[in-house]
Amino acid sequence: QLQRFIPWLQHAIQHESKDALELCQFVEEKLLLLQTVHADAYKERERKRDLEAKMEAQQQAEARRKAEEEELKRSLQTVIKKDVKTGMVWNTTTREYQYLPDHTEESWRD
């Protein structure tokens, strides 16, 4: 809004009008006040944007973690539903039931 006064002020300064000098001082004071308010508003706006970005990242990470947990639960449920026979034990590395090696059989080292 203040930019519309600039050509008028330039013209008035050329004619060295007392009113123009007063208006220039008034506009300069208002611009200085606006600079401080604008700087504060800018900092606050940036702080809010950073906070919202952090919250969004946390929500996405939480959603991703929950989806991974659900997938793990589903895969474990499918493994548990499979036929578990006697003599089988749960292998945590492969996440499946496996037969225990029979010690009565001959060793592969022999």
Side-chain angles (χ1 to χ4, degrees):
Q1 248 184 1
L2 295 175
Q3 289 179 348
R4 64 186 168 123
F5 292 110
I6 292 175
W8 185 80
L9 291 172
Q10 288 173 344
H11 178 67
I13 289 174
Q14 289 174 353
H15 298 312
E16 296 181 16
S17 169
K18 184 179 179 183
D19 293 334
L21 290 175
E22 289 175 3
L23 183 59
C24 284
Q25 289 174 352
F26 174 75
V27 169
E28 186 178 359
E29 289 172 6
K30 292 297 180 183
L31 284 174
L32 290 174
L33 290 175
L34 283 175
Q35 279 181 333
T36 57
V37 171
H38 176 70
D40 293 342
Y42 178 77
K43 287 178 186 175
E44 183 66 21
R45 189 169 50 248
E46 287 299 313
R47 187 187 66 76
K48 284 182 182 179
R49 285 181 186 165
D50 290 343
L51 184 62
E52 288 174 359
K54 286 180 185 177
M55 294 289 286
E56 181 69 26
Q58 287 176 349
Q59 289 174 352
Q60 288 177 355
E62 182 69 20
R64 222 178 6 257
R65 186 186 61 77
K66 284 185 179 183
E68 289 172 358
E69 285 179 3
E70 290 297 321
E71 180 62 31
L72 180 62
K73 285 181 184 178
R74 279 189 296 247
S75 67
L76 287 176
Q77 288 296 329
T78 58
V79 168
I80 290 173
K81 288 180 182 178
K82 288 184 179 177
D83 230 7
V84 179
K85 299 177 182 173
T86 57
M88 296 180 87
V89 292
W90 179 254
N91 185 340
T92 55
T93 306
T94 60
R95 292 188 177 155
E96 62 182 10
Y97 285 100
Q98 294 179 343
Y99 286 103
L100 282 175
D102 190 5
H103 298 293
T104 59
E105 295 179 6
E106 292 184 16
S107 174
W108 59 272
R109 294 182 182 163
D110 289 342

